[in-house]
Amino acid sequence: MTAAAVLVGITVPAAADAATTAPTPPAAPVSAYDDTYYQDAIGKTGPELKSALHTIISDQTKLSYDQVWDALKVTDEDPANSSNVILLYTGRSQSKDSNGGDPDQWNREHVWAKSHGDFGTATGPGTDIHHLRPEDVSVNSTRGNKDFDNGGSEVGEAPGNSTDSDSFEPRDAVKGDVARMILYMAVRYDGEDGFADLEPNDKVDNGSAPAIGRLSVLKQWSDEDPPDTFEKNRNQAIYDQFQHNRNPFVDHPEWVGAIW
């Protein structure tokens, strides 16, 4: 969560004595992990930053698809009700035990649609809980494998979300979460491990290509909806208890603009 402090419009009059100096901007806050986990990425930008982050976050414990069920019951637990999880798009609090395949149960939503790169539920991108979230079965089906963009008609079962023939717009409270999950996947999976090189692009209707858009909209969403306590706690739980890697864009949202 490093924020650059910018000092503008301050001048020192020519007549000022030698003891007069311009105010010093406050030091930017330092992430708790900058001196350890992220030490090889600090100070880098562009492709160098992306490459450094890829190396860092690729060191992870991989889950099976069955293990994802139990992991999501921890990472997405409702802070107000430990028996429930919060569903990503609907925002509904629902019993952890109400998971399965019936229309009003919850299942495992791949935010980076698994058909975009054809990785399915294979251990790796198909089971990476940084982008797997609980969601209502029928709302998950409505999203399908659509790209992300603004616009469309409101989803009846999930007010605040919209969709059209080739894109899905999540509710405002999780727009940034969606963007940071997509960009995590693009950094983590770059063509190694036998999987496709996942990259965001600035279009929709990407089909089975290993791409998801719309990048310009995702960047806007990340700016407008910064990480909240739920998202930060989720990132910590994944790091502490499950995969032991982090989503760097939750810790440092300014790295979105530094890379793309």
Side-chain angles (χ1 to χ4, degrees), residues 10-231:
I10 296 178
T11 59
V12 179
D17 62 35
T20 303
T21 59
T24 302
V30 178
S31 166
Y33 292 93
D34 283 2
D35 294 333
T36 53
Y37 189 75
Y38 292 123
Q39 62 181 344
D40 292 335
I42 299 301
K44 296 178 179 176
T45 60
E48 288 187 351
L49 174 58
K50 186 181 179 188
S51 177
L53 292 176
H54 168 75
T55 299
I56 292 167
I57 68 178
S58 293
D59 184 6
Q60 70 181 96
T61 299
K62 296 177 181 178
L63 306 182
S64 71
Y65 200 45
D66 282 341
Q67 288 175 316
V68 168
W69 283 122
D70 289 332
L72 295 185
K73 293 176 183 180
V74 175
T75 60
D76 292 77
E77 181 179 291
D78 182 351
N81 185 345
S82 62
S83 296
N84 288 10
V85 290
I86 300 292
L87 308 190
L88 176 64
Y89 301 131
T90 65
R92 186 170 73 237
S93 179
Q94 185 155 328
S95 170
K96 291 178 179 179
D97 296 330
S98 180
N99 61 305
D102 293 339
D104 290 324
Q105 291 184 308
W106 65 267
N107 63 2
R108 297 158 290 185
E109 153 75 335
H110 289 78
V111 177
W112 184 294
K114 56 185 181 288
S115 63
H116 289 236
D118 195 28
F119 53 75
T121 59
T123 299
T127 64
D128 194 316
I129 55 175
H130 276 296
H131 86 117
L132 279 160
R133 300 291 295 267
E135 188 45 63
D136 176 274
V137 169
S138 52
V139 174
N140 190 345
S141 179
T142 297
R143 188 268 158 134
N145 68 347
K146 295 173 183 175
D147 293 82
F148 293 104
D149 199 2
N150 292 314
S153 301
E154 188 168 68
V155 178
E157 279 191 272
N161 299 262
S162 300
T163 191
D164 56 23
S165 63
D166 56 20
S167 69
F168 189 88
E169 179 183 354
R171 59 192 176 100
D172 289 347
V174 297
K175 279 184 164 73
D177 308 52
V178 166
R180 288 180 284 274
M181 286 186 277
I182 291 295
L183 299 177
Y184 162 87
M185 292 293 285
V187 171
R188 170 61 186 87
Y189 299 98
D190 69 349
E192 299 174 356
D193 304 327
F195 298 109
D197 182 4
L198 307 183
E199 289 294 338
N201 62 17
D202 209 35
K203 63 179 186 177
V204 294
D205 204 14
N206 276 292
S208 62
I212 282 184
R214 188 177 303 266
L215 177 58
S216 58
V217 172
L218 293 171
K219 290 173 63 178
Q220 177 187 354
W221 290 352
S222 184
D223 285 342
E224 293 177 350
D225 174 36
D228 59 15
T229 299
F230 187 91
E231 188 180 1

